[in-house]
Amino acid sequence: MRSVLLCLLLVMAGPSWADVPAARVNGVEIGLTRLERYFSEYLDAQGRAVTSIRNPGLYKRLRDQALDELIDKELLWQEARRQGIVISDEQVSAHVGEVEAAFGSPAIFERRLAQAGFDRAQYSEYTRRDMAAQQVYAQLSAVEAPSQAEVQAFYDANQERLQGAQNQNDNPSVIHEQGLALARAALVDQRQAQARQSVRQRLRASATVEIAD
């Protein structure tokens, strides 16, 4: 949990991190220092360490993936601004309070903020930005609930895989209902993943993204 929270701190680091630009997104710089620190947290979330990667090709691929995430986050924030999405002070305060509580100590929280280049006021503003980006992402990638016929068709096409995830039960009607419930959840997840990918592609297509050599 703390790794994820620290990752958020690093992702949201602002202009004070910008040294040598790793990329520009519609003219907004993503600094190399910001990328490298986020990359470390990106690997940590996958159970990896920078020092454990011996293959240069793998290192570059993972680093590029981390940069892609930062670019997507910047594009979402810019889209949130265009749409006029506003996150209230109360929402920001509540979220910051949850993050602070997760660290278990105000002193630890303040120390981690300082290490990420923040004071509390700066972190609150970056939290507001992240929440706005997440809100616009959810809005743009929303999908309609599948119909019963669509769920049944998905279940029929994936019955073997879905049955493997079901609880053991001797009642055929219960088995079928469980299977349909799993099918509905899997179909919604699939459509949401496709919608999120489509959103990222659309934002990229309309943006000017420059990646440093």
Side-chain angles (χ1 to χ4, degrees):
M1 178 65 175
R2 287 187 181 181
S3 175
V4 174
L5 297 174
L6 179 56
C7 181
L8 174 62
L9 295 182
L10 296 174
V11 169
M12 299 308 297
S16 62
W17 288 53
D19 45 352
V20 178
R24 289 185 177 87
V25 183
N26 293 326
V28 178
E29 290 186 0
I30 294 177
L32 185 61
T33 302
R34 175 183 172 189
L35 170 60
E36 293 301 336
R37 296 194 181 185
Y38 176 61
F39 181 44
S40 178
E41 292 299 321
Y42 175 83
L43 293 177
D44 186 59
Q46 300 181 24
R48 297 174 180 266
V50 174
T51 55
S52 70
I53 303 175
R54 308 298 183 187
N55 185 316
L58 176 60
Y59 178 91
K60 183 179 185 305
R61 179 168 62 82
L62 292 171
R63 187 175 178 276
D64 287 347
Q65 289 173 359
L67 179 57
D68 276 345
E69 285 195 1
L70 286 174
I71 290 170
D72 286 340
K73 290 176 184 296
E74 179 60 37
L75 286 170
L76 286 166
W77 161 238
Q78 293 179 16
E79 181 63 22
R81 290 183 65 187
R82 280 193 291 270
Q83 293 197 19
I85 290 176
V86 176
I87 305 298
S88 70
D89 292 343
E90 290 76 16
Q91 289 173 292
V92 172
S93 179
H95 184 79
V96 172
E98 290 175 2
V99 174
E100 180 175 4
F103 279 97
S105 162
I108 294 175
F109 178 61
E110 296 288 347
R111 184 163 63 250
R112 299 304 282 176
L113 285 181
Q115 289 171 352
F118 288 104
D119 59 27
R120 183 177 288 268
Q122 291 170 331
Y123 178 60
S124 293
E125 283 309 303
Y126 292 128
T127 296
R128 190 189 309 275
R129 187 176 79 171
D130 184 66
M131 293 176 72
Q134 291 301 320
Q135 182 173 319
V136 77
Y137 196 22
Q139 291 175 358
L140 293 175
S141 60
V143 297
E144 293 184 1
S147 67
Q148 189 62 35
E150 290 172 326
V151 172
Q152 184 66 59
F154 186 86
Y155 175 75
D156 292 341
N158 299 274
Q159 188 169 352
E160 184 175 343
R161 177 171 62 86
L162 292 167
Q163 285 180 342
Q166 290 179 245
N167 296 325
Q168 295 298 319
N169 196 302
D170 294 330
N171 189 323
S173 65
V174 172
I175 292 174
H176 184 67
E177 288 303 316
Q178 287 180 345
L180 289 178
L182 289 171
R184 181 179 296 278
L187 182 55
V188 169
D189 286 346
Q190 181 185 89
R191 290 183 174 180
Q192 286 180 334
Q194 292 169 346
R196 288 191 289 267
Q197 179 64 19
S198 178
V199 168
R200 293 193 296 270
Q201 289 173 344
R202 290 202 309 271
L203 291 177
R204 288 289 185 108
S206 61
T208 300
V209 178
E210 305 167 86
I211 299 177
D213 295 331

